[in-house]
Amino acid sequence: MLIKLVPSANAPLDLLLEADPSADNIRRYLENSSCYVATIGNETVGAYAIQSMGGGVHELMNIAVAPAHQGKGIGAKLLEHAVNSTRERGARRLELGTGTFGYQLTFYQRAGFRVIAVERDYFLTHYDEPIYENGIQHKDQLRLAINFDRALY
Ligand SMILES: CC(C)(COP(=O)(O)OP(=O)(O)OC[C@H]1O[C@@H](n2cnc3c(N)ncnc32)[C@H](O)[C@@H]1OP(=O)(O)O)[C@@H](O)C(=O)NCCC(=O)NCCS
């Protein structure tokens, strides 16, 4: 598997929609994000987008693996790449926002992310359509982070 940085204009929107149902949101944050794409042969199997928020804090805006390739460790490799590339840039912290339930929480915490905050009603106020998973509506957002600067612990 190859992971490489691509111009935002070449970001695989269909794939990024797996993680964020709003194409408008994705287009907006892609403008200021670095997008990395994972390929196996000619096939795009995964992608992530990361953005500098200032003050040494970076945010993982989106991470997605093509449905046919999920559950095979590709996401874990992409996440490790995201963590390492951010650390190598000299960042102090990598943050992300996710739902308050679902397998994604295990996925992130296994990679070392910890909960730093809860943003109540985030999914109600930032999306036009309700978002359901396992029959439960996503309402609140968990903020997770991995700190590279030991002083932040
Ligand atoms: C989250 C995601 C990037 C993880 O990538 P992945 O390649 O599937 O991840 P991995 O194979 O490294 O492992 C992820 C874990 O989640 C599980 N998992 C993956 N896809 C799953 C699914 N659709 N339903 C339930 N569990 C799933 C895997 O089984 C694995 O757990 P295990 O090791 O205990 O079996 C990917 O599943 C995805 O694109 N999901 C849809 C988009 C999304 O939710 N993005 C994150 C937004 S916060």
Side-chain angles (χ1 to χ4, degrees):
M1 184 172 79
L2 258 175
I3 301 174
K4 63 177 185 188
L5 185 62
V6 302
S8 290
N10 297 349
L13 189 63
D14 53 338
L15 191 47
L16 298 175
L17 280 165
E18 294 288 333
D20 182 342
S22 169
D24 285 345
N25 275 358
I26 297 173
R27 285 197 194 92
R28 207 172 304 127
Y29 56 67
L30 273 180
E31 281 177 23
N32 299 308
S33 298
S34 302
C35 182
Y36 289 81
V37 165
T39 52
I40 297 177
N42 289 330
E43 192 180 0
T44 298
V45 295
Y48 73 84
I50 215 154
Q51 189 171 106
S52 168
M53 313 304 284
V57 177
H58 291 234
E59 179 164 352
L60 183 64
M61 308 301 293
N62 189 309
I63 182 164
V65 169
H69 293 276
Q70 288 176 13
K72 299 178 190 165
I74 291 175
K77 284 195 186 121
L78 271 179
L79 189 57
E80 190 187 352
H81 189 276
V83 168
N84 289 339
S85 63
T86 307
R87 185 193 282 116
E88 282 158 17
R89 282 177 197 199
R92 301 171 69 222
R93 172 153 89 189
L94 178 60
E95 288 190 14
L96 60 87
T98 189
T100 51
F101 59 90
Y103 68 92
Q104 294 89 343
L105 275 183
T106 314
F107 171 70
Y108 291 127
Q109 295 199 38
R110 203 183 262 162
F113 285 83
R114 293 184 60 180
V115 176
I116 53 166
V118 183
E119 198 166 332
R120 277 179 68 84
D121 294 335
Y122 179 89
F123 292 106
L124 304 180
T125 54
H126 288 73
Y127 289 87
D128 294 335
E129 301 291 328
I131 304 170
Y132 281 90
E133 193 173 337
N134 298 329
I136 309 167
Q137 185 176 4
H138 278 290
K139 294 181 181 167
D140 311 312
Q141 189 194 62
L142 275 188
R143 299 290 304 172
L144 307 186
I146 189 163
N147 289 322
F148 306 125
D149 182 343
R150 303 301 297 180
L152 291 172
Y153 279 99

